[in-house]
Amino acid sequence: MTTGVDGPGRPVLPPILRGQKALVTGANSGIGKATAIALGQAGADVVVNYVSGRETADEVVREIESFGVRAYPHEADVSQEDQVVAMVARMVEEFGTIDIMVANAGLQRDAALTEMSLAQWQKVLDVNLTGQFLCAREAAKEFKRRGVVPEVSRSAGKIVCMSSVHQIIPWAGHVNYAASKGGVLMLMQTLAQELAPDRIRVNAVAPGAIRTPINRDAWATPEAEADLLGLIPYRRVGDPVDIADAVTVLVSDLMDYVVGTTIYVDGGMTLFPGFATGG
Ligand code: NAD
């Protein structure tokens, strides 16, 4: 069957997350969807958060259930404190606990600085940065309460912040987005430092250009895709499964000693490709 994470040459994931409970925000589209499915394929039970589009969330749930693990959809806006608190509380009730929080939900509201409204600025900061703070906080409370259960995982919990190459690459015309992801970098590192003594691992994954609805304009026409490939030394646009697989391995015990790091999954976009032929 097609799993939504199948791809040419992709090895089948072994059940490296068996018995773990994961929550993925923004899990009914793009990177979040592929990540939720990959975590399920690796043996985790998964909460599929969405803010709108119940039908697509239900499809993701069905695909995860096809691996013989549990899943359910949960509607919540990650920028709303009461909704995030209720989402994690329900998960603890239904699944018993949480082991993995993937704070993935994000959006863009692009405009040149002089055209950007305060509402555009605030919306992106609220979802991309405050949303990650709220999700990390609620997950960490449960990780600390429960502590390490060695039969399940070597750590008490894992938080993955979905960042972007724009946590370090400035991006004209997208100051709200770049500022939010720059904030995610320091959020992640500070939480990693604060929570490591509790055996909680906080890391980030920073995608480059991945084919999803968020950046359709950048790859939807052959001309746009050719321009984009000029920024990618590996000369292919990424697929959601590229990110999903990196997250899956990162939250597994194979990566137990990885704490406070950003894994760039970007085909080399952060290698200053403009300098490849001189400079
Ligand atoms: P996408 O638009 O396909 O998915 C974003 C998801 O977030 C959607 O499910 C959307 O409904 C959800 N969402 C938006 N606001 C929300 C809210 N308030 N509460 C809960 N969910 C909300 O885009 P994507 O490319 O899959 O993006 C996922 C993450 O990856 C984002 O954080 C994005 O910044 C990051 N990212 C994407 C790329 C890329 O090239 N696609 C590159 C770098 C980083």
Side-chain angles (χ1 to χ4, degrees):
M1 77 166 277
T2 54
T3 68
V5 293
D6 279 341
R10 176 176 180 261
V12 174
L13 283 173
I16 51 179
L17 301 177
R18 189 180 285 141
Q20 300 204 42
K21 320 290 177 192
L23 189 157
V24 182
T25 66
N28 62 342
S29 177
I31 290 169
K33 172 181 171 178
T35 300
I37 294 169
L39 296 178
Q41 194 179 30
D45 295 331
V46 186
V47 177
V48 175
N49 162 252
Y50 69 101
V51 70
S52 63
R54 172 66 190 247
E55 279 171 25
T56 46
D58 284 341
E59 282 167 24
V60 175
V61 163
R62 279 196 294 276
E63 195 156 342
I64 294 169
E65 286 173 337
S66 76
F67 302 120
V69 296
R70 296 169 66 196
Y72 67 84
H74 185 100
E75 181 182 336
D77 178 340
V78 296
S79 67
Q80 300 301 311
E81 183 174 28
D82 55 339
Q83 295 184 33
V84 175
V85 169
M87 176 167 68
V88 176
R90 177 181 169 202
M91 181 174 179
V92 172
E93 222 174 275
E94 301 233 358
F95 283 175
T97 191
I98 174 171
D99 302 286
I100 298 160
M101 168 64 81
V102 183
N104 164 79
L107 44 70
Q108 292 180 212
R109 293 287 184 270
D110 306 331
L113 173 65
T114 50
E115 309 300 323
M116 188 176 287
S117 65
L118 180 59
Q120 284 173 311
W121 167 268
Q122 200 60 55
K123 178 74 178 174
V124 171
L125 269 291
D126 284 351
V127 175
N128 294 13
L129 187 56
T130 305
Q132 294 212 7
F133 155 72
L134 292 170
C135 290
R137 188 188 71 187
E138 292 312 300
K141 286 180 190 168
E142 170 62 11
F143 297 161
K144 285 185 170 207
R145 183 200 65 75
R146 173 182 28 78
V148 177
V149 179
E151 309 79 61
V152 175
S153 176
R154 298 174 75 185
S155 71
K158 281 79 61 171
I159 295 168
V160 177
C161 300
M162 195 56 68
S163 190
S164 164
V165 291
H166 295 297
Q167 68 172 8
I168 56 165
I169 300 179
W171 202 17
H174 307 76
V175 68
N176 47 1
Y177 185 83
S180 74
K181 297 299 184 179
V184 165
L185 172 61
M186 204 36 73
L187 172 83
M188 180 279 288
Q189 289 182 317
T190 300
L191 295 185
Q193 188 190 61
E194 184 171 331
L195 298 173
D198 295 297
R199 282 291 168 92
I200 295 167
R201 295 198 293 119
V202 186
N203 291 286
V205 169
I210 309 300
R211 228 179 273 276
T212 75
I214 209 174
N215 59 357
R216 191 181 298 283
D217 291 350
W219 51 263
T221 65
E223 299 75 36
E225 183 162 347
D227 275 357
L228 186 58
L229 289 177
L231 297 173
I232 308 171
Y234 205 57
R235 292 292 187 267
R236 78 168 168 87
V237 178
D239 294 309
V241 68
D242 289 313
I243 307 304
D245 286 343
V247 172
T248 302
V249 178
L250 176 60
V251 298
S252 79
D253 280 359
L254 293 170
M255 293 263 189
D256 187 57
Y257 209 49
V258 177
V259 176
T261 292
T262 297
I263 300 191
Y264 289 89
V265 186
D266 67 352
M269 191 178 249
T270 40
L271 296 173
F272 297 95
F275 283 80
T277 52

